[in-house]
Each structure stands twice: as C-alpha cells, then as structure tokens.
Amino acid sequence: MNNPMMNHPIFQVMNAMRQGNPVQIMQQAAGRNPYAAQTYQAIQGKSPDQLRQMAQRMAQEKGVPLDQLAGQFGLTLPK
C-alpha cells in the first residue's frame, strides 16, 4: 500500500526510530528539506507525551487511527 503520509518527515522519524538513530536521520533530512527542518525544530525539546499528542493530531487529521499508522512502520506504541 502506498501511503503519502509515510513521506511526511515526522513519520520518517518514526521509521528511523525503528531502524536506529532518528535524530541523525532527521538532522540529515533537515539539511535537505525546509519542511523537515521546520518539523525538526517543532519536535526538539518535546516530551514523549507531547510527541505522541502531535502524532495523534496528525493521524486524526488524516482520519487514520494512530496505532494503525504506527503499525505501517512496524511500530507498536506504548499505552
């Protein structure tokens, strides 16, 4: 399934978390993409709860349950 949300920088970070070092991946993306740079700035200093709330809002805007979206990245979110 081709999901355009998977190209969104925040979800690229989620995928990077599964693969290794999300900060390094995000820094690299921020150097190449102004939208990724804006996203990187928005998530810096946020707690895990705040990041989850951001992801939840984005998923709701797209009409997709957050757990389902995370599952597309092979992630299981903590409760």
Side-chain angles (χ1 to χ4, degrees):
M1 172 191 323
N2 186 11
N3 184 344
M5 287 283 297
M6 295 185 72
N7 293 326
H8 192 284
I10 194 82
F11 294 107
Q12 289 177 353
V13 171
M14 289 173 64
N15 194 36
M17 289 172 60
R18 186 173 53 115
Q19 297 175 0
N21 187 345
V23 174
Q24 181 180 7
I25 302 273
M26 192 66 185
Q27 287 173 333
Q28 290 171 357
R32 295 187 306 263
N33 180 322
Y35 189 70
Q38 181 181 10
T39 301
Y40 182 68
Q41 288 176 335
I43 66 172
Q44 283 188 312
K46 299 285 192 275
S47 71
D49 286 337
Q50 290 170 316
L51 292 173
R52 183 184 179 99
Q53 289 172 359
M54 288 174 70
Q56 182 70 44
R57 280 192 304 272
M58 288 172 36
Q60 284 176 343
E61 288 174 5
K62 298 299 180 183
V64 178
L66 182 57
D67 290 337
Q68 179 184 344
L69 188 60
Q72 292 177 359
F73 292 94
L75 299 172
T76 302
L77 299 176
K79 299 293 176 192

